[in-house]
Amino acid sequence: MNQPPLVIGSRGSKLALYQSNWVKSELEKQHPGLQVEIRIIKTSGDLFTEAPLSKIGGKGLFTKEIEEALIRTDIDLAVHSLKDLPTVLPEGLCLGAVSRREDVRDALISNRYQTLEALPAKARVGTSSLRRQSQLLHLRGDLQIENLRGNLDTRLRKLDQGEYDAILLACAGLVRLGLGGRITERVPVERICPAVGQGALGLECRSDDTLTRKRLESLNHLETRQAVDAERSFLRRLGGGCQVPIAAHAAVQNSCLRMSGVVASTDGRRLFRDEAESPTSDPEELGVVLAEKLLSAGADEVIAGLS
């Protein structure tokens, strides 16, 4: 008997479609006879392409309309860049799987300068991320941070046209689209801590859709899932809105989960960073423990002042 096709909801950007097509291919490979379709859904983040993300409401900006389609059962599965997915999901939805993580680091891209250190004073650096802005200014308070929106091609074109001396993007998206050669420097996570969930794909489905949840099991990468569960728990406990630069990076090493986290002011003058580790058995507790450490160190004042 023919199975009904499984429908994936996806944003229409080149990167989003690459990611959704990868999931489609993997599902069809793992489940012979299963047909998978991709349906493009426009999100608020796709419609408002010029204003800084923090000004138009960061939470759910790239996911809300797709989640609504999932709840209506118009689609069966949503493929997100996990860093875009809020830590609290709508009732009835769940994170069915998390893909193996791509390079988690941020990428410096410049046509003139090879490293972050080599940028001259007053260099114009493009980014739409308060997280990147705050950490950049903490490292290099002499830089001029300017808003940069648009898809990957648009951002790279603006750099090539001379609007910026350098831009910062996620390594993962560049690598997935075959643009890794544009990366000038892969900035170590010890210098600029990544976004929560950066480099991983979050596959969201309905909690009661047992068939889709079962199909997604083969795409769930356990070590990545443990790491991002800790990171998302950290962000959830801090509770900062889109106005607060928050970053976290967890990784499994020698059967142990190690995590670093950052909370900063937007101007980079106040930055709280700490680390914690635990067994891999309770990643969410690790996230809470690290968040509490930063809050007790004074990060609560930064969050209260910016939220």
Side-chain angles (χ1 to χ4, degrees):
M1 193 171 87
N2 287 338
Q3 308 173 67
L6 184 148
V7 182
I8 294 175
S10 173
R11 294 171 60 203
S13 72
K14 193 182 294 186
L15 178 59
L17 288 173
Y18 173 90
Q19 293 170 170
S20 293
N21 273 296
W22 179 83
V23 172
K24 175 181 186 292
S25 172
E26 290 297 308
L27 284 171
E28 289 176 340
K29 196 187 305 177
Q30 297 287 342
H31 305 282
L34 175 66
Q35 284 188 307
V36 182
E37 298 175 359
I38 295 174
R39 185 170 301 166
I40 295 174
I41 298 170
K42 278 201 170 181
T43 68
S44 302
D46 300 311
L47 297 173
F48 304 106
T49 58
E50 294 302 322
L53 294 175
S54 59
K55 301 294 184 192
I56 53 177
K59 285 190 176 178
L61 202 59
F62 295 108
T63 61
K64 182 172 177 286
E65 288 81 1
I66 298 176
E67 288 180 324
E68 287 170 350
L70 198 50
I71 291 167
R72 291 193 306 267
T73 71
D74 292 347
I75 60 174
D76 304 299
L77 171 64
V79 178
H80 307 286
S81 291
L82 189 55
K83 65 183 177 64
D84 294 332
L85 189 64
T87 56
V88 178
L89 302 184
E91 187 176 349
L93 300 185
C94 68
L95 194 54
V98 174
S99 72
R100 179 189 288 270
R101 206 168 210 167
E102 184 47 84
D103 191 334
V104 72
R105 292 170 291 182
D106 282 326
L108 179 80
I109 306 172
S110 175
N111 294 324
R112 298 175 62 194
Y113 307 103
Q114 293 303 304
T115 64
L116 190 54
E117 286 74 18
L119 291 172
K122 306 273 190 214
R124 297 163 302 156
V125 181
T127 177
S128 62
S129 162
L130 287 180
R131 172 190 63 83
R132 291 179 179 131
Q133 170 185 308
S134 63
Q135 293 183 82
L136 268 175
L137 290 174
H138 184 73
L139 293 170
R140 291 283 309 272
D142 58 310
L143 296 175
Q144 197 173 310
I145 310 300
E146 299 183 0
N147 184 51
L148 173 66
R149 290 286 315 279
N151 60 35
L152 275 179
D153 289 340
T154 299
R155 297 183 193 201
L156 291 169
R157 186 175 69 250
K158 288 179 177 181
L159 173 70
D160 293 340
Q161 289 172 344
E163 294 183 35
Y164 307 92
D165 296 303
I167 61 176
L168 270 185
L169 302 171
C171 285
L174 291 158
V175 170
R176 287 184 178 124
L177 289 182
L179 296 169
R182 290 297 309 261
I183 298 173
T184 312
E185 180 187 20
R186 295 173 189 250
V187 184
V189 296
E190 295 76 19
R191 305 209 69 206
I192 298 183
C193 192
V196 166
Q198 185 158 305
L201 303 182
L203 311 186
E204 190 180 19
C205 61
R206 288 181 293 280
S207 305
D208 62 0
D209 186 350
T210 52
L211 179 57
T212 297
R213 293 182 70 172
K214 185 72 176 170
R215 285 166 170 167
L216 292 178
E217 286 176 2
S218 61
L219 297 185
N220 194 57
H221 186 250
L222 180 59
E223 289 190 0
T224 301
R225 181 65 183 255
Q226 291 167 335
V228 302
D229 280 352
E231 293 168 14
R232 286 169 64 79
S233 172
F234 171 79
L235 179 57
R236 190 161 50 240
R237 172 62 188 90
L238 290 174
C242 57
Q243 304 287 346
V244 184
I246 294 173
H249 175 243
V252 176
Q253 298 173 2
N254 301 322
S255 302
C256 186
L257 193 56
R258 291 188 171 87
M259 182 175 175
S260 58
V262 170
V263 176
S265 60
T266 53
D267 61 8
R269 290 180 183 174
R270 301 190 72 192
L271 186 142
F272 299 88
R273 181 190 294 265
D274 212 330
E275 298 180 352
E277 63 178 67
S278 75
T280 56
S281 55
D282 196 353
E284 295 198 4
E285 177 62 19
L286 175 62
V288 171
V289 167
L290 183 55
E292 296 288 356
K293 286 176 77 172
L294 290 180
L295 289 169
S296 62
D300 56 337
E301 296 171 14
V302 171
I303 292 171
L306 292 174
S307 294

